[in-house]
Amino acid sequence: MLSEVLLVSAPGKVILHGEHAVVHGKVALAVALNLRTFLRLQPHSSGKVDLSLPNIGIKRSWDVARLQLLDTSFLEQGDVTAPTPEQVEKLKEVAGLPDDCAVTKRLAVLTFLYLYLSIFRKQRWTKEDLELINKWAFQGERVIHGNPSGVDNAVSTWGGALRYQQGKIASLKRPPALQILLTNTRVPRSTKALVAGVRNRLLKFPEIVAPLLTSIDAISLECERVLGEMGEAPALEQYHVLEELIDMNQHHLNALGVGHASLDQLCQVTRAHGLHSKLTGAGGGGCGITLLKPGLEQPEVEATKQALTSCGFDCWETSVGAPGVSVHSATSLESRVRQALDGL
Ligand code: PMV
């Protein structure tokens, strides 16, 4: 039982290279961002559990007693299990969301309920606890998009910069502190549908699509090699290699059918400012990343952000290689984070 306020944060993440290919056993490179999501768990005695997700407009409340009436045989501590369709149906009943609730909101609430009912919380996390968190986060991903590769939950749990292939994780020893723009085109998309689309294209044109996946694999490996070199001795030439890799991968992802007009626009706008971008994650809209080279003047960065914002996109300047999921004491939080949490 939670006896005091618990503050937890997890980093945002981006896949540098290897999205989609990773679903087919290829290498992906993923990094945690210095943009974090904070969670405050606060005990109270109303007999209810309240969920507030202000960024997507969710505020819900459930009777704890009602939740306890559920068949919780799947909730044994330490036993990480995939949600079955029956459990998801049961959670839908408990969630009590209106029929016209957007899919993203619905999935967020179902994932919360599944994980809330399943996880025992602690104040300090050992390596074993983090492994457990990673496994549960993977199950959360399964609620959201069915057949995830596991790269997203891994990088959010462990942080830093990871090479991921078929469940095997290797942290990059000394990743360079790359600065990037993360741009959300605000075009909604379904990861599940996009992953299925790539699979269909692979089945339909194996001779054409399999080499694309192999090439993306090689891009990830080359990027890993260059990042390793940059950790030792960064040079502008290496940034140019990273830019070429970004361009090639973006074209491959378009050929896989996961591009979108908004992502083309993002690439064109940043190209006009001499910067290179690619989609990150599932594509079909969603987010893109833009590499910021050292020596770039801040007014140029601001002008690029402004140009992206005037396309209707959201844009953040951030750096990669942030710590993974963390527990915080209230006093260690930045005051703007404390204020935002207090305003909920
Ligand atoms: O956009 P996201 O965060 O759902 O990333 C999806 C990444 C894919 O490679 C397309 C799928 C996966 O599970 O790895």
Side-chain angles (χ1 to χ4, degrees):
M1 189 64 183
L2 201 61
S3 57
E4 55 190 70
V5 175
L6 180 63
L7 294 161
V8 179
S9 77
K13 58 84 214 172
V14 291
I15 299 178
L16 289 182
H17 290 289
E19 49 273 272
H20 289 288
V22 69
V23 177
H24 302 275
K26 309 294 188 198
V27 169
L29 281 186
V31 288
L33 298 179
N34 276 305
L35 292 171
R36 304 188 76 81
T37 298
F38 284 85
L39 170 70
R40 182 176 58 189
L41 291 164
Q42 190 167 347
H44 59 82
S45 51
S46 64
K48 293 195 182 284
V49 52
D50 300 322
L51 171 68
S52 171
L53 301 174
N55 292 4
I56 56 168
I58 295 257
K59 230 174 167 47
R60 309 286 309 173
S61 185
W62 299 272
D63 281 328
V64 173
R66 184 145 176 250
L67 293 180
Q68 280 164 353
L69 285 180
L70 280 171
D71 171 12
T72 53
S73 53
F74 62 104
L75 308 177
E76 263 123 66
Q77 196 217 325
D79 184 11
V80 178
T81 50
T84 63
E86 294 74 37
Q87 286 162 353
V88 173
E89 282 312 308
K90 210 174 281 177
L91 290 178
K92 275 187 195 161
E93 281 169 34
V94 179
L97 292 165
D99 288 344
D100 60 353
C101 178
V103 176
T104 40
K105 294 188 185 190
R106 182 182 301 278
L107 289 174
V109 171
L110 294 182
T111 305
F112 167 77
L113 281 175
Y114 185 68
L115 298 180
Y116 168 81
L117 291 167
S118 309
I119 299 174
F120 184 74
R121 295 171 295 270
K122 285 188 180 178
Q123 299 274 348
R124 262 189 301 148
W125 294 329
T126 61
K127 187 164 173 284
E128 287 69 38
D129 293 329
L130 287 170
E131 268 155 17
L132 193 59
I133 288 172
N134 185 37
K135 285 185 192 163
W136 276 117
F138 181 65
Q139 300 309 333
E141 280 271 283
R142 288 178 90 158
V143 176
I144 290 171
H145 77 93
N147 185 28
S149 64
V151 63
D152 288 351
N153 46 283
V155 72
S156 292
T157 303
W158 302 108
L162 301 182
R163 170 200 213 269
Y164 183 95
Q165 186 173 27
Q166 289 182 316
K168 286 203 200 79
I169 302 165
S171 287
L172 271 62
K173 293 273 165 336
R174 226 189 305 160
L178 299 182
Q179 293 289 123
I180 61 160
L181 294 181
L182 175 70
T183 304
N184 183 359
T185 63
R186 301 174 73 177
V187 173
R189 83 282 193 272
S190 153
T191 300
K192 202 177 202 162
L194 288 151
V195 168
V198 173
R199 186 173 301 281
N200 290 341
R201 208 169 256 201
L202 177 61
L203 291 173
K204 193 169 171 191
F205 305 110
E207 303 280 308
I208 299 170
V209 176
L212 287 175
L213 299 178
T214 306
S215 176
I216 292 174
D217 190 66
I219 290 174
S220 298
L221 292 175
E222 177 64 5
C223 181
E224 183 187 15
R225 191 189 66 72
V226 175
L227 292 180
E229 263 182 24
M230 290 171 89
E232 302 285 319
L236 199 55
E237 185 43 43
Q238 292 150 341
Y239 278 89
H240 293 146
V241 176
L242 292 186
E243 289 177 338
E244 279 187 77
L245 296 177
I246 285 175
D247 291 344
M248 287 191 283
N249 199 356
Q250 176 62 14
H251 288 298
H252 284 350
L253 288 161
N254 274 321
L256 291 179
V258 296
H260 188 270
S262 61
L263 293 163
D264 294 340
Q265 191 182 12
L266 189 163
C267 292
Q268 278 155 16
V269 166
T270 55
R271 194 71 200 92
H273 291 265
L275 300 173
H276 297 246
S277 308
K278 66 177 275 291
L279 69 83
T280 182
C287 290
I289 47 172
T290 306
L291 182 65
L292 299 177
K293 285 177 278 225
L296 203 63
E297 301 289 341
Q298 196 56 29
E300 191 52 29
V301 177
E302 292 305 326
T304 312
K305 281 161 74 177
Q306 184 54 48
L308 289 165
T309 311
S310 45
C311 297
F313 303 156
D314 289 331
C315 187
W316 298 270
E317 186 181 344
T318 186
S319 57
V320 310
V325 66
S326 316
V327 195
H328 305 270
S329 65
T331 46
S332 69
L333 289 182
E334 277 178 48
S335 61
R336 67 190 173 95
V337 175
R338 258 202 322 263
Q339 275 160 16
L341 288 168
D342 287 346
L344 293 181

